[in-house]
Amino acid sequence: MSDKGQAHTTLAAFTVDSGDAARRLLKAVQRIDAANDNVQIVDAAVVDRGRFGRISVHQTTDRGALKTGVRVGTLGVVVGAIVAGPAGAVAMGAAGGVLGSLRGGIHDTGIDDKFMRSVSKEIEKKKSALFVLYEGSWEHSIGLVEQAITDEHALLFNSTLPPDKAAALQALVAPAVEALGGEEVVADYELEVAEEPEAAPEETSAPAEEAAPVEEAVPVEEAAPVAAVAAAGAKADDLTQLVGIGPKAATALAAAGVTTYAALAQLNEPQLRRALHDSNMTPPANVGTWPMQADLLAKGDWQGLMKYNNQAVATRPAPEKAAVVAAAAAPEKPAEPVDDLTQLHGIGPRIESILNDGGVTSYNQLQHANTGELRQIIATGGALPPASLESWPTQATYAVRGDWSGLAAYNRR
C-alpha cells in the first residue's frame, strides 16, 4: 500500500460449493496475506447452509481494526444483513428486523447493492460463502489469488470502501452488535431462512375469442379502503424489510394495492388488519407498528428504523415465564437459584439477561431445557440464536456438578 493512512477497505465474497471449500479457501488466502505486505486481512467469516433451512455465520478471530475503525462484530453483522436481505427479515423475531433494516443502511455507506444481490442469489442456490474484509490491494499476488479461486471453483464478488465510508459502516453497525446479543453472538450464530418460492410459469395470452369476460368493476363505495391510498404507478418497495412483514404478508398488502413504503405509512391498523384478513392471514402482534416503520423507510432513515425496533423490543412486556424444565417445581419448593450463566460458552451478559427474562436462571433449568424453547426465548428477547445454543443443556450438566474441568474439555472438542 502506498499510503497506509489512506488505505481503502474491500469486502470480498467468494461463493463456493460447501463450507469445507470455504474454509480451505480461507487458509489459502491467509497464506497469501502472510507473504504480501501490500495487503492485510482485517477479518473473515464463513457462511454455511445447515440443517432445517438454517444458515450459520462464523466469524474468524478478529485481527484488529487497523486503520479502518472496523472492530469486532462488524463483519458478522454485515454478513448477516446481506444474507438476510433477499427473504426479508429471515431471522427469528426482532433480530431479523434489525438485520433487514441494516441492509439498506449498509448500502448507503457504500457497499454496492449489486454486490449484495449477487452474493445473496448464490447463497440462495445452496452455496456457502467466504467473506474477507481486507485493506490494501492483492495486485502483487493476483496470480496466487486467481489460482486459489480456480482450485475451489469459486466465484468472487467485491465492494471497496474509502476510509470515511468504512468508518460510517462501523458507526452504523456498532449499536446493532449489542442489540443482537453482543460480540460473541454476532461472531457465531444461525439464521432461520425462509426458502424463496419458485416463480410461477408465465401464462400465455389466450386467443381473443377465448378471452375470459371482463368482470364488472367494484363500485367505488365498496372498494377496499387501503387500495385508495396506494401510490399509483410508484415503483414497488421491498416491504419485507419491515419487522413482521414476510413474503406472504407483502403479497397480501400488494393485493390490497399497497406496494410502497409511502403508501403503507398512510394506513391505520384497522385498514391493515382488513387487508390481511382479505388474504386469509392472521395479523401479527406488531401490525400496528408497520406504518411508523414504513414512514422511516420512506425517508431513507434506516438508523431510525433500527432504533425504533430496538426500542420496541426493550419496552415489550417480559415474556411469560416459559416452562423449560421437564417438571415444574412445586409451589412450596424454594425458587431456583440464580446461577452465572455467562460461565457457559456462547452466553454473554445480554443473552443471560434474555434467558433470565424467559424464566431460565439456573444451570439446573438449563440442563433440562428444550433447544426449541431456548431459541424462542432468545428470539423473543430480540437477539440472534448463537451457534453454541444446541450445546447449552450439555454444558449445563457439567456446571450443575461443578465439573469445570470437564466443561472446559467439552468446549475444546
Side-chain angles (χ1 to χ4, degrees):
M1 292 176 283
S2 60
D3 187 351
K4 290 187 178 181
Q6 295 297 317
H8 282 51
T9 301
T10 299
L11 178 59
F14 305 82
T15 57
V16 290
D17 291 331
S18 69
D20 288 341
R23 289 169 180 83
R24 288 194 301 269
L25 183 55
L26 173 59
K27 289 181 180 179
V29 171
Q30 287 173 329
R31 287 194 295 270
I32 298 170
D33 170 64
N36 187 346
D37 293 335
N38 295 297
V39 68
Q40 175 67 68
I41 294 177
V42 178
D43 210 348
V46 172
V47 176
D48 202 5
R49 186 178 289 271
R51 300 177 302 162
F52 312 121
R54 291 178 187 151
I55 284 181
S56 63
V57 178
H58 175 66
Q59 183 177 350
T60 65
T61 302
D62 181 75
R63 298 187 55 179
L66 303 181
K67 301 295 183 180
T68 61
V70 178
R71 292 185 283 277
V72 173
T74 298
L75 184 59
V77 174
V78 170
V79 170
I82 292 173
V83 173
V90 297
M92 293 183 296
V98 172
L99 291 176
S101 300
L102 281 172
R103 184 180 170 93
I106 287 170
H107 169 265
D108 292 340
T109 66
I111 293 183
D112 183 63
D113 192 52
K114 182 179 179 181
F115 164 85
M116 292 192 285
R117 287 198 309 270
S118 298
V119 175
S120 296
K121 286 181 180 179
E122 289 300 310
I123 293 176
E124 284 176 4
K125 297 176 185 176
K126 316 298 184 186
K127 298 279 188 177
S128 294
L130 167 64
F131 288 81
V132 177
L133 189 70
Y134 67 90
E135 288 185 346
S137 170
W138 294 110
E139 181 181 359
H140 298 291
S141 303
I142 192 63
L144 295 174
V145 174
E146 290 176 345
Q147 185 59 53
I149 291 173
T150 300
D151 289 346
E152 298 299 343
H153 307 288
L155 291 178
L156 170 62
F157 307 90
N158 59 69
S159 185
T160 300
L161 301 174
D164 61 324
K165 293 294 186 179
L169 176 65
Q170 171 63 32
L172 173 71
V173 171
V177 173
E178 183 60 27
L180 293 171
E183 291 178 355
E184 186 174 13
V185 171
V186 299
D188 198 357
Y189 60 90
E190 293 181 340
L191 295 171
E192 298 283 351
V193 182
E195 299 290 342
E196 286 288 294
E198 294 185 4
E202 295 184 7
E203 296 182 3
T204 56
S205 300
E209 62 273 13
E210 298 179 7
V214 178
E215 296 182 2
E216 293 183 7
V218 178
V220 173
E221 63 272 15
E222 296 181 9
V226 294
V229 297
K235 181 180 178 181
D237 292 319
D238 182 5
L239 300 183
T240 64
Q241 297 291 342
L242 278 67
V243 174
I245 300 184
K248 186 175 180 181
T251 300
L253 291 172
V258 181
T259 60
T260 67
Y261 300 140
L264 181 52
Q266 297 179 46
L267 303 185
N268 57 38
E269 186 171 339
Q271 289 174 321
L272 286 170
R273 289 182 176 276
R274 177 175 176 180
L276 296 177
H277 283 308
D278 286 347
S279 292
N280 298 315
M281 276 195 67
T282 300
N286 78 328
V287 66
T289 70
W290 293 0
M292 177 58 75
Q293 293 186 62
D295 183 64
L296 291 167
L297 288 189
K299 299 173 183 175
D301 188 2
W302 293 93
Q303 290 198 38
L305 176 64
M306 185 177 70
K307 291 177 182 178
Y308 176 79
N309 287 330
N310 287 344
Q311 184 178 15
V313 171
T315 57
R316 182 185 302 157
E320 184 177 350
K321 303 299 183 183
V324 295
V325 292
E332 63 273 12
K333 290 185 179 181
E336 286 282 347
V338 178
D339 292 323
D340 182 6
L341 302 183
T342 63
Q343 295 298 317
L344 306 185
H345 174 64
I347 301 181
R350 166 93 165 115
I351 296 297
E352 181 185 47
S353 175
I354 292 172
L355 289 172
N356 289 171
D357 286 344
V360 181
T361 62
S362 71
Y363 299 137
N364 181 54
Q365 289 175 305
L366 195 53
Q367 73 172 335
H368 295 294
N370 176 286
T371 55
E373 291 171 329
L374 290 175
R375 287 181 180 278
Q376 185 58 49
I377 290 173
I378 298 301
T380 300
L384 292 166
S388 62
L389 183 147
E390 299 282 344
S391 73
W392 292 353
T394 301
Q395 291 189 63
T397 62
Y398 289 97
V400 164
R401 301 193 302 267
D403 184 4
W404 302 106
S405 60
L407 175 61
Y410 173 78
N411 285 328
R412 284 196 297 268
R413 294 175 189 173

